[in-house]
Amino acid sequence: MSASDRAETAGARPVGAMLLAVCLLSTMDVVVKLLGGDHGIGQIVLLKSAASLPWVGLWWLLRPERSTWRLARPGAHLLRGVLLAIAGFGFFTAFTLLPLAEAYAILFTAPIVTVLLAWALMGERPGKGAGIALSAGFLGVLVVASPGLMIQDGQGHGPLTGYVAALIGTVGYAGVIVTTRKLAPSEGIGALALSANLVAGTVAIPVALIDWTPVSAAQLAGYLVVAGLSVSGIALISWALARVEVQRVAPLEYTAFAWAVLYDWAIWRTTPGLASILGAAIIVSACLWLETRRAAGQRRAAG
C-alpha cells in the first residue's frame, strides 16, 4: 500500500466514526421520543442524566488519570451544566411534539447560533457572512414551521410549542459547544462529562417531581440505552475531530436528517413534507456556506 493510500485510509476512518456517531445519536433521539409518552420532560432529563453516571464511572475505571478528571473552573462547569439542561428540555419537548425530521431541521441552525454566542461570550467576531447565514438559517426555520404554525391541539401543545422548544434547545446546545470550547484547554474530559450530567440532573429535579410517574425496569433500561448511545456518540465525535480538520467531518452531522426521515417512516409512518425538505436545504446550505467562508479565512490568515 502506498503512502497516499495509507493516508486516504487513515482519513476515511474519522469519516466513518463521524457517520456512526450521527447514527447512534439519532437512534438516541428515537428512544427519547418513545419514552416521552410515558414521562414528563423534567423526568426524562433527570433520568437521562442519572443513567449517564454509570457510564462515566466505567470511564473512570478505564481512564483514572488525574488529567482526565481535572476541574479548575467550577463556575464555568455550572453554567455549562445549566445550558445542557436547557438544551435537554428544549430538544426532548420538540421530539415528543414534532416529527424528528422537522425538529432536526431547526437543530441544524446550531452552527450559526454558535457563531453568535461565541461573539457574545468569548469576543470572537463573526465573519462578514455571518449575518447573511443567520438570516438564511432562520428563513429556513420559518419555511419548516410554516405549515403547522397555526395548528394547535386545544391544550397549548401544538406544533408552535414544538418549534419554540426546538429553538430553545438549539440555543442551549450552542451554548454548551461554546462553553466546552472555552473550558477544554484547562479541564479534563472526564470532569466535563461528570459535571455536565450532575448539574443538568440537579436542575431537572424540581420539574421532575411536579409530575413524577413510576419507572419500570424496562423503561430504566431504555434510559441506560439513551445514556450509552449519548456517551458513545460523543466519544466517536471527539475521536474523529482529534484526527482530521473540523470542516471535513462537521458537515456529516447533517446526515442526521436522513436518519430522521427513515425513523419517522419506519416507526411513526410519517414522511417530511415539501416545506420540511426545502427549509432543511436552506438551513444546511447557509451553515455550510458559513463554514466554507470561515475555513477560507483561516487559510488566508495562515498563508
Side-chain angles (χ1 to χ4, degrees), residues 22-154:
V22 173
C23 174
L24 294 176
L25 293 175
S26 299
T27 305
M28 178 196 74
D29 293 336
V30 171
V31 180
V32 168
K33 186 174 176 68
L34 292 171
L35 291 170
D38 299 317
H39 302 121
I41 301 303
Q43 189 171 355
I44 292 176
V45 174
L46 174 58
L47 291 174
K48 187 263 183 186
S49 299
S52 298
L53 297 181
W55 296 102
V56 176
L58 177 60
W59 192 354
W60 180 81
L61 291 175
L62 296 175
R63 297 293 302 273
E65 297 89 348
R66 185 175 180 179
S67 60
T68 304
W69 304 94
R70 181 177 60 249
L71 191 153
R73 305 171 65 183
H77 281 269
L78 177 63
L79 173 60
R80 180 171 174 268
V82 171
L83 289 169
L84 181 64
I86 292 172
F89 276 102
F91 287 150
F92 296 161
T93 298
F95 292 153
T96 59
L97 299 177
L98 300 174
L100 285 178
E102 291 187 19
Y104 276 17
I106 295 175
L107 170 59
F108 289 161
T109 61
I112 299 172
V113 179
T114 299
V115 170
L116 294 179
L117 288 181
W119 180 25
L121 299 177
M122 300 177 65
E124 297 182 1
R125 295 184 62 83
K128 295 181 179 179
I132 298 175
L134 178 66
S135 300
F138 281 101
L139 171 62
V141 170
L142 291 176
V143 172
V144 172
S146 59
L149 280 176
M150 302 306 295
I151 300 176
Q152 295 289 321
D153 64 4

Side-chain angles (χ1 to χ4, degrees), residues 45-268:
V45 174
L46 174 58
L47 291 174
K48 187 263 183 186
S49 299
S52 298
L53 297 181
W55 296 102
V56 176
L58 177 60
W59 192 354
W60 180 81
L61 291 175
L62 296 175
R63 297 293 302 273
E65 297 89 348
R66 185 175 180 179
S67 60
T68 304
W69 304 94
R70 181 177 60 249
L71 191 153
R73 305 171 65 183
H77 281 269
L78 177 63
L79 173 60
R80 180 171 174 268
V82 171
L83 289 169
L84 181 64
I86 292 172
F89 276 102
F91 287 150
F92 296 161
T93 298
F95 292 153
T96 59
L97 299 177
L98 300 174
L100 285 178
E102 291 187 19
Y104 276 17
I106 295 175
L107 170 59
F108 289 161
T109 61
I112 299 172
V113 179
T114 299
V115 170
L116 294 179
L117 288 181
W119 180 25
L121 299 177
M122 300 177 65
E124 297 182 1
R125 295 184 62 83
K128 295 181 179 179
I132 298 175
L134 178 66
S135 300
F138 281 101
L139 171 62
V141 170
L142 291 176
V143 172
V144 172
S146 59
L149 280 176
M150 302 306 295
I151 300 176
Q152 295 289 321
D153 64 4
Q155 298 178 349
H157 296 294
L160 178 59
T161 307
Y163 299 133
V164 172
L167 284 172
I168 292 173
T170 299
V171 173
Y173 174 73
V176 171
I177 296 299
V178 172
T179 52
T180 299
R181 183 167 45 176
K182 192 170 184 177
L183 283 167
S186 62
E187 313 299 300
I189 297 177
L192 289 169
L194 178 60
S195 64
N197 284 292
L198 284 176
V199 174
T202 302
V203 170
I205 288 175
V207 182
L209 292 178
I210 293 175
D211 189 26
W212 185 270
T213 56
V215 183
S216 67
Q219 291 167 337
L220 181 58
Y223 285 107
L224 287 171
V225 169
V226 166
L229 290 169
S230 175
V231 170
S232 300
I234 292 172
L236 284 168
I237 290 174
S238 300
W239 184 88
L241 292 177
R243 286 159 177 79
V244 295
E245 295 179 337
V246 173
Q247 57 263 29
R248 179 167 183 183
V249 294
L252 298 176
E253 290 194 44
Y254 295 124
T255 59
F257 191 77
W259 287 109
V261 171
L262 175 63
Y263 280 130
D264 276 338
W265 176 82
I267 300 175
W268 294 281

